[in-house]
Amino acid sequence: MRRVTLLLTTLVAAACGGGSSSYRSGPSSPSTLGPVPPSLTAPIPLAPIDDVTVQTLRPELRVTNATSDQPGERTYEFQLAENPESFDASGPGVLTITKTGVPEGADGRTVFQLEQDLPVPKRFYWRARAVQLWAFVGPYSAPARFKTAMPPKPVLRVASLTASSSRAEVDTEVTLAAVIDNTDTPVDRLVFEWTVEKGAFSGTGPIVRWRAPRGERTPATYDLQLTVIDRYTLVDADGRTELRENRATASTRVRVHDSRGELTTLALTFLGDFANSAVSAETCVRNFSDTCRGKQEELEDIRDNRQK
């Protein structure tokens, strides 16, 4: 009730010539007929400022609260435009956004969350002022500015990388196929880089063939690696272009054998061990598979032979 009485008293005083330039109805001269209107300071922009690039299309505009030499409820008015000259211009569409009646924050700061998406890439200017007792307005803050940016591209990901076989003979080919999880760039515009320590790739793109090397020691395991690159261009609020890229990697393994050579080596090793009576029966069959039903029989035969 005291607030309403003060407001009515002040309005009456302003109408009678006791108002000030801060009253919405226009300028008037000071008078001793009623209370002096409150003297408001300009709020101070906190964020976004200094031409920072925001990562959202609906940023929060934050200010340090204005101060007043008199008590009374305060709200805030925010203005946003693409050009600072638009703040003092008139006509439809000059200001991009105007928001009044934003309640003052209790922690010394007031925040206005934009209620619509801003276009990209653009630079915006904004300012704010306090309004006390719904009638007295303070000065605007100095304009602050920020930029909106093009939204980031979707994360590039290799959904799967498979080989037609996890085992290969020397000098034979294995087909490799990659599935890319990327809904933004067509697959034919991506760069595929295939690498491996030995062997050779043929073909390009997400499906290639790899020929296992020959002349290398076997068996051997090879890591076949894929790097996918998505190169693109961004335009900033000043119209400048910037080249960027997203990368994703994946790998798969292939075991390479020279079955003929390996079997020959195993056979010669066994014969050499068998012929040497100093080699135990267990050592002789060390290269036999435990799943081989003949391993135990061969072990017993060698033991019998060593005892004779």
Side-chain angles (χ1 to χ4, degrees):
M1 188 65 183
R2 180 179 178 277
R3 181 192 307 165
V4 175
T5 302
L6 176 60
L7 173 60
L8 292 176
T9 302
T10 306
L11 292 177
V12 170
C16 295
S20 72
S21 60
S22 63
Y23 178 50
R24 286 186 183 275
S25 297
S28 58
S29 301
S31 171
T32 59
L33 298 179
V36 177
S39 177
L40 291 164
T41 64
I44 301 174
L46 289 177
I49 60 175
D50 299 334
D51 214 28
V52 67
T53 299
V54 298
Q55 302 302 318
T56 174
L57 300 183
R58 296 189 183 189
E60 291 181 342
L61 306 183
R62 285 176 281 172
V63 298
T64 297
N65 292 344
T67 61
S68 174
D69 61 351
Q70 295 185 29
E73 183 175 349
R74 289 190 293 270
T75 61
Y76 288 78
E77 176 183 315
F78 288 82
Q79 291 182 333
L80 183 141
E82 294 185 24
N83 192 308
E85 285 76 25
S86 299
F87 289 131
D88 299 314
S90 61
V94 174
L95 290 177
T96 303
I97 293 175
T98 298
K99 179 68 174 181
T100 60
V102 179
E104 183 173 77
D107 59 351
R109 300 180 180 183
T110 296
V111 178
F112 166 50
Q113 173 79 59
L114 292 182
E115 299 166 337
Q116 64 190 64
D117 290 347
L118 297 178
V120 295
K122 290 281 187 179
R123 176 177 283 105
F124 290 93
Y125 298 81
W126 66 278
R127 65 182 185 177
R129 66 179 177 180
V131 181
Q132 187 164 347
L133 295 173
W134 309 283
F136 301 100
V137 295
Y140 279 109
S141 65
R145 62 179 181 172
F146 66 90
K147 295 178 288 188
T148 57
M150 297 294 291
K153 291 176 70 68
V155 176
L156 184 65
R157 189 173 69 90
V158 181
S160 65
L161 175 58
T162 57
S164 57
S165 175
S166 60
R167 186 186 188 283
E169 290 292 321
V170 294
D171 204 27
T172 63
E173 288 188 333
V174 173
T175 300
L176 303 171
V179 176
I180 309 303
D181 184 6
N182 179 64
T183 59
D184 187 69
T185 303
V187 173
D188 59 2
R189 291 176 55 188
L190 300 173
V191 177
F192 292 82
E193 294 182 350
W194 296 90
T195 56
V196 68
E197 182 182 0
K198 301 286 184 178
F201 292 101
S202 59
T204 58
I207 301 177
V208 298
R209 294 181 302 277
W210 176 67
R211 181 170 291 276
R214 64 181 307 170
E216 301 294 329
R217 189 171 186 175
T218 61
T221 301
Y222 291 90
D223 289 318
L224 298 100
Q225 300 178 334
L226 168 64
T227 300
V228 184
I229 307 172
D230 180 12
R231 296 190 174 101
Y232 58 98
T233 301
L234 283 184
V235 181
D236 66 15
D238 296 309
R240 296 172 298 196
T241 59
E242 180 181 350
L243 296 179
R244 294 190 180 183
E245 64 178 37
N246 286 337
R247 288 176 173 250
T249 60
S251 64
T252 188
R253 288 183 170 181
V254 175
R255 183 80 166 169
V256 175
H257 292 269
D258 179 3
S259 296
R260 189 171 189 176
E262 291 171 26
L263 288 174
T264 300
T265 299
L266 289 173
L268 292 176
T269 299
F270 173 75
L271 292 175
D273 291 340
F274 180 77
N276 186 354
S277 59
V279 178
S280 67
E282 287 75 16
T283 301
C284 289
V285 298
R286 67 185 181 280
N287 292 321
F288 284 62
S289 172
D290 291 334
T291 61
C292 176
R293 290 182 299 176
K295 179 177 181 179
Q296 188 61 35
E297 296 178 2
E298 187 65 31
L299 178 62
E300 297 297 334
D301 288 344
I302 297 174
R303 285 174 176 170
D304 292 341
N305 182 273
R306 291 286 191 267
Q307 292 176 357
K308 295 180 180 179

